[in-house]
Amino acid sequence: MSGKRSDYYYDLPNRLIAQDPLPERSGSRLLHLNKKTGAVIHHACFFNVLDYLSPGDCIVFNDTRVINARLYGQKEDNEKKIELLLHKRIDDTRWEILCKPGRKCKPGDSLLLCDGKLTVQIEKIIEGGLRVAKLAHDVPLDELLAVYGETPLPHYIKKPIGNPERYQTVYAKYDGSVAAPTAGLHFTDELIFRLKQNGVEIVFLTLHVGLGTFRPVKTENIADHHMHSEYCRINKDEAEKINRAKKNGCRIVAVGTTCCRTLESRACFDGFVQPGEGWTDIFIYPGYRFKCADGLITNFHLPESTLIMLVSAFAGREYVLNAYREAVENEYRFFSFGDAMLIT
């Protein structure tokens, strides 16, 4: 077990950071890692994930949908340009937001966005540079975002995406995320249909991805890092599917770290999950004992991030870093639009 942030660093050439999605979602590469031995079993095409899942296994997807959360405008009392990111809805009129430049957005300031159709009144500054703000608009907010909002791509993607739907999973359903659950981007409707044909149980849950998932770890002692809370939900029918598979001795395979965190947030000590909804700020790093998830499909994550720490908790830090080094040597594509890893 390692509690130092620097122990999760690895060298990554910039050329391996994927800037575009591949033409075919399931045409990405797949590295299969054995979490018990640390062996990289196969280098394959993602579509071949079918070969590694057995009838009765339960594969769990996050059906959140990314909103057009990035907006541009100006301060009401001058023409200073402001970039705003809607982070998390608090209630019907108030949101947590991020502003750039933050020093120009103080409590009491008003911002005008969407050609003046949206007014944002900043109330206070909270942890992590976030602001609590009250939104006023005559046009429904979702309509404004559809017209004026932009997909909030990660900072390491340096150009606009041609088709914003490629930053959504094919099964995205419930609006609420500011970033995609990227492990799910590899799945197509055809691949999910084939999984069902092969007897794999398909389950959906929801976690609205916020800054908690991607906020950098700044403390050297990782236990001092605090996760922002994110909303998650598992309904009764889906929980019953998970619990039935668990009872039958079948594997629960989480598609992405967001699914894994939701399962572990809702799981009891016996591994069975409780249906329900609420907020989770669970931070999983080595030393954590997994209760529900048996397998994990995940992308390759940023060095020193909470995501690589979760994966290291699941499969062992040395095993994961060795697999990452092998992925670099084989020129895998990294991060949101990159290739994937299956850990079983």
Side-chain angles (χ1 to χ4, degrees):
M1 183 176 73
S2 177
K4 294 171 59 179
R5 179 190 64 190
S6 54
D7 288 335
Y8 299 89
Y9 178 81
Y10 65 93
D11 288 319
L12 179 70
N14 284 334
R15 71 178 187 278
L16 298 184
I17 301 174
Q19 295 297 311
D20 300 286
L22 293 176
E24 298 295 331
R25 288 177 181 263
S26 57
S28 52
R29 298 169 73 186
L30 180 68
L31 184 153
H32 185 194
L33 176 66
N34 184 317
K35 67 179 179 179
K36 294 181 179 179
T37 67
V40 174
I41 305 172
H42 295 107
H43 295 281
C45 174
F46 190 84
F47 192 82
N48 296 125
V49 73
L50 292 161
D51 299 336
Y52 310 121
L53 297 171
S54 304
D57 284 347
C58 180
I59 188 167
V60 185
F61 298 94
N62 181 6
D63 60 11
T64 188
R65 186 172 178 83
V66 182
I67 61 173
N68 291 344
R70 180 165 286 134
L71 297 164
Y72 298 91
Q74 62 190 59
K75 293 185 68 173
E76 190 173 37
D77 58 356
N78 58 47
E79 295 184 358
K80 294 289 185 183
K81 300 300 182 183
I82 300 295
E83 177 184 329
L84 181 145
L85 181 72
L86 296 174
H87 172 235
K88 184 167 67 179
R89 186 191 297 271
I90 300 172
D91 55 37
D92 288 343
T93 62
R94 295 161 70 246
W95 283 72
E96 289 183 9
I97 64 171
L98 271 179
C99 299
K100 289 184 181 180
R103 67 184 183 278
K104 299 292 185 181
C105 301
K106 300 175 181 178
D109 287 347
S110 290
L111 312 177
L112 294 177
L113 303 103
C114 306
D115 288 338
K117 296 180 177 67
L118 172 64
T119 301
V120 175
Q121 182 79 29
I122 298 174
E123 296 182 346
K124 61 181 178 179
I125 300 174
I126 57 175
E127 181 187 6
L130 290 163
R131 272 78 171 150
V132 173
K134 185 173 183 179
L135 277 57
H137 45 90
D138 293 328
V139 179
L141 183 61
D142 58 347
E143 294 182 16
L144 292 177
L145 297 182
V147 175
Y148 296 97
E150 291 184 1
T151 302
L153 294 175
H155 66 88
Y156 48 77
I157 295 177
K158 303 301 184 183
K159 58 182 181 179
I161 182 173
N163 176 10
E165 284 301 307
R166 287 305 310 273
Y167 195 59
Q168 305 279 7
T169 62
V170 297
Y171 47 81
K173 188 174 182 180
Y174 299 105
D175 287 347
S177 283
V178 299
T182 54
L185 296 178
H186 304 282
F187 286 87
T188 62
D189 290 326
E190 178 190 0
L191 181 51
I192 293 172
F193 176 75
R194 291 281 300 277
L195 287 167
K196 291 178 180 178
Q197 279 191 318
N198 289 1
V200 175
E201 186 75 80
I202 305 297
V203 168
F204 294 98
L205 54 73
T206 304
L207 181 137
H208 290 321
V209 186
L211 297 179
T213 295
F214 299 99
R215 181 183 174 217
V217 177
K218 296 182 178 180
T219 59
E220 180 59 14
N221 182 352
I222 63 176
D224 293 334
H225 176 75
H226 174 67
M227 298 280 285
H228 286 290
S229 61
E230 295 166 308
Y231 171 83
C232 63
R233 176 180 65 236
I234 304 177
N235 70 35
K236 182 179 177 182
D237 290 343
E238 303 299 274
E240 287 177 351
K241 293 177 185 178
I242 296 168
N243 292 337
R244 182 167 57 248
K246 181 68 74 173
K247 184 177 180 180
N248 291 337
C250 299
R251 295 178 300 178
I252 310 301
V253 180
V255 178
T257 58
T258 62
C259 278
C260 186
R261 291 176 63 236
T262 303
L263 289 171
E264 295 301 309
S265 295
R266 302 299 308 176
C268 301
F269 287 107
D270 58 7
F272 294 97
V273 300
Q274 295 291 323
E277 60 183 314
W279 298 87
T280 182
D281 61 358
I282 188 172
F283 177 23
I284 297 175
Y285 54 89
Y288 179 85
R289 296 180 66 87
F290 286 84
K291 302 186 290 290
C292 183
D294 303 300
L296 179 65
I297 296 171
T298 185
N299 280 20
F300 294 92
H301 302 294
L302 277 74
E304 299 183 339
S305 64
T306 63
L307 306 179
I308 195 172
M309 292 170 189
L310 182 153
V311 176
S312 296
F314 193 77
R317 183 180 70 91
E318 288 298 329
Y319 290 170
V320 168
L321 290 178
N322 285 338
Y324 270 53
R325 283 190 282 270
E326 185 161 337
V328 170
E329 290 170 4
N330 285 273
E331 301 213 329
Y332 274 64
R333 303 167 76 245
F334 278 66
F335 306 161
S336 292
F337 290 140
D339 296 315
M341 177 189 290
L342 168 66
I343 305 172
T344 58

